[in-house]
Amino acid sequence: MMSLLVVAAIVLAVALGYTTKINIGLFAIAFAYLLGCFGMGLSPGDIINMWPLKIFFVIFSVCLFYSFATVNGTLEKLAGHLLYRCRGVPHLLPYAILLTSGVIAAMGAGYYTVLAFMAPLTLLLCQRTGMSLILGGMAVNYGALAGANFVSSQSGIIFRGLMTGAGMPESEAFVNALAIFASTAIIPVLVISAFVFLGGHGRNLKNAVLTADLPEAFNREQKLTLLLTLLMMVLVLAAPLALLAFPDNATVRFVNSKVDIGLIASVFSVIALLLKLGDERKAIASVPWATLIMICGVGMLISIAIKAGTIDALASWIGGNIPPLMVPVAFGVVAALMSIFASTLGVVTPALFPMVLPLAASMSIDPMIIFVAIVVGAQATSISPFSSGGSLLLGSCTDDKARSTLFSQLLLRAAPIGFVAAMLFNLALTFLF
């Protein structure tokens, strides 16, 4: 009975957040308190301890450091330079948008930040070059998603935190996060290529004239920001990669045990402040507080679900009713349907990731395949006009007629195409591994 109440609470939190536009995490905290204290006999202290402190700290620290690149204009200027390089090859523009969005997101801007300043630019390029709105929209959305999934960027950090929180060793979580990034980087290239070379979009773009002015050179603050960002990426990636290459080396193992991306980002934030790379108040204000509250609030409610046995019950049901070969595909379908209306980071992955390890162990499935299938499925429909990606794209449209056209294209073409591509990928992944 309690498991059903917890599931109902999760669904209700998402529904209320969607209809009232109030942060889903706040509803989740309220339901966690009511169900935990008054339905399960837990103390208020037990409920507060369910706040995922490590995930909160890591996301806050990393986003604080990366926010300097947003505040001082580094990312915006980087986007301008990358797009300027493609002015002579307009038929490669979709790939340029995909790459630019991916690089900037991988450098820590995060999915929402990239869409916020790349979506208007992309739609403007669509008007100037004749590139279809659906192609431009999918390119910027796919690029922002893939880049944010990089192991040292926002989504990649969240995925690693959820996996380690579910009981997976840090080294295995790192490998799985790399697999998620690689998968979500391959799919966009295949889908965009199908549009360009099979859908006739490439022929239209070849005849386009792309005019772009050379952006100003990077100033001192922006150069130092780029240097610090690249240096932090190297430091964060070097230790776990060295451990994978030399698993028995005591020195490598010791160094890796002392590396924490949240603490490293905190040190780099201090360095950025000492070098005066940006205003401290603006940097703190740029931290995605709403996303943090949503992820951590839903995390508390998921902890209630785990405590009530809901996750184990769902995993047992899936294990008893779905053939092992179809489990990753089934997870992908569920994640895709959830993602039409809910956030991948705040709702879908926190709800589904805790089921993976017990289910994978009972059915002898590599958990990496299921983790990849969940993220691939969830992000396939994130371009739906009812989801965050699609709504940001629609909000970037200044023309009512173009907005109406884009709405139908996102709903009836982009989301279904993304869904089919994701399911085919998940099916191929299941058979190959």
Side-chain angles (χ1 to χ4, degrees):
M1 179 63 181
M2 183 53 64
S3 291
L4 291 176
L5 285 175
V6 174
V7 172
I10 294 172
V11 174
L12 187 58
V14 174
L16 288 172
Y18 181 73
T19 54
T20 64
K21 307 303 179 186
I22 296 173
N23 195 304
I24 294 171
L26 297 176
F27 287 110
I29 293 171
F31 286 134
Y33 169 56
L34 294 173
L35 290 175
C37 283
F38 302 102
M40 297 171 60
L42 300 175
S43 69
D46 292 332
I47 305 300
I48 294 172
N49 287 335
M50 290 179 177
W51 180 269
L53 186 60
K54 183 177 180 180
I55 292 178
F56 175 87
F57 174 74
V58 170
I59 298 172
F60 164 74
S61 302
V62 173
C63 289
L64 177 61
F65 169 68
Y66 284 142
S67 66
F68 286 98
T70 303
V71 169
N72 64 25
T74 300
L75 295 180
E76 188 174 355
K77 192 168 289 186
L78 180 63
H81 276 280
L82 290 174
L83 290 173
Y84 177 77
R85 298 292 183 269
C86 298
R87 68 193 186 284
V89 281
H91 56 287
L92 296 181
L93 186 59
Y95 296 100
I97 294 171
L98 180 72
L99 178 64
T100 302
S101 303
V103 167
I104 295 173
M107 293 183 69
Y111 173 63
Y112 300 104
T113 304
V114 172
L115 275 187
F117 73 84
M118 279 298 294
L121 177 60
T122 299
L123 296 180
L124 179 64
L125 289 172
C126 288
Q127 294 175 359
R128 289 182 179 178
T129 63
M131 180 171 61
S132 69
L133 291 174
I134 185 174
L135 179 56
M138 292 189 77
V140 69
N141 187 67
Y142 265 141
L145 286 171
N149 290 344
F150 190 59
V151 290
S152 63
S153 194
Q154 188 182 116
S155 301
I157 292 167
I158 292 170
F159 298 149
R160 287 167 63 187
L162 291 172
M163 284 186 273
T164 54
M168 174 167 278
E170 179 64 41
S171 58
E172 292 182 29
F174 179 83
V175 174
N176 290 343
L178 276 179
I180 290 172
F181 167 69
S183 300
T184 53
I186 292 170
I187 295 173
V189 174
L190 297 176
V191 173
I192 297 300
S193 297
F195 267 94
V196 172
F197 296 107
L198 302 179
H201 295 272
R203 289 192 298 272
N204 296 334
L205 285 169
K206 279 185 179 179
N207 300 321
V209 177
L210 177 59
T211 57
D213 297 327
L214 176 64
E216 294 181 5
F218 291 102
N219 59 30
R220 168 194 168 273
E221 290 78 13
Q222 292 162 347
K223 289 179 181 177
L224 287 173
T225 301
L226 284 174
L227 180 63
L228 284 179
T229 302
L230 293 173
L231 181 59
M232 195 183 93
M233 284 185 177
V234 170
L235 288 176
V236 168
L237 294 175
L241 287 175
L243 185 63
L244 291 175
F246 308 101
D248 299 323
N249 188 293
T251 303
V252 170
R253 188 173 294 277
F254 172 78
V255 171
N256 184 68
S257 69
K258 301 301 180 183
V259 170
D260 180 89
I261 186 170
L263 294 172
I264 290 175
S266 299
V267 173
F268 273 70
S269 293
V270 173
I271 295 172
L273 287 169
L274 291 174
L275 293 173
K276 302 187 183 303
L277 301 186
D279 183 87
E280 180 184 354
R281 287 175 295 179
K282 290 182 180 179
I284 292 175
S286 297
V287 173
W289 295 107
T291 302
L292 270 171
I293 292 169
M294 179 173 61
I295 291 167
C296 295
V298 173
M300 291 176 71
L301 190 52
I302 296 301
S303 294
I304 292 291
I306 294 172
K307 197 85 172 176
T310 308
I311 302 300
D312 289 337
L314 287 173
S316 299
W317 183 87
I318 292 172
N321 292 274
I322 298 177
L325 193 63
M326 295 304 295
V327 166
V329 178
F331 267 101
V333 172
V334 171
L337 294 176
M338 291 175 67
S339 183
I340 293 175
F341 301 101
S343 164
T344 297
L345 299 179
V347 178
V348 181
T349 48
L352 298 181
F353 271 25
M355 295 188 223
V356 173
L357 291 183
L359 189 63
S362 65
M363 303 185 77
S364 300
I365 303 173
D366 186 345
M368 181 187 74
I369 299 174
I370 305 179
F371 283 128
V372 170
I374 290 171
V375 177
V376 166
Q379 295 188 342
T381 54
S382 67
I383 200 170
S384 155
F386 303 114
S387 195
S388 51
S391 60
L392 280 169
L393 283 168
L394 288 174
S396 301
C397 263
T398 55
D399 181 74
D400 290 338
K401 184 178 180 181
R403 187 182 296 112
S404 177
T405 301
L406 183 60
F407 180 91
S408 59
Q409 288 186 342
L410 294 179
L411 181 63
L412 302 176
R413 292 187 63 194
I417 288 171
F419 176 79
V420 171
M423 293 312 109
L424 289 174
F425 181 87
N426 286 343
L427 199 59
L429 191 70
T430 304
F431 279 105
L432 288 173
F433 295 96

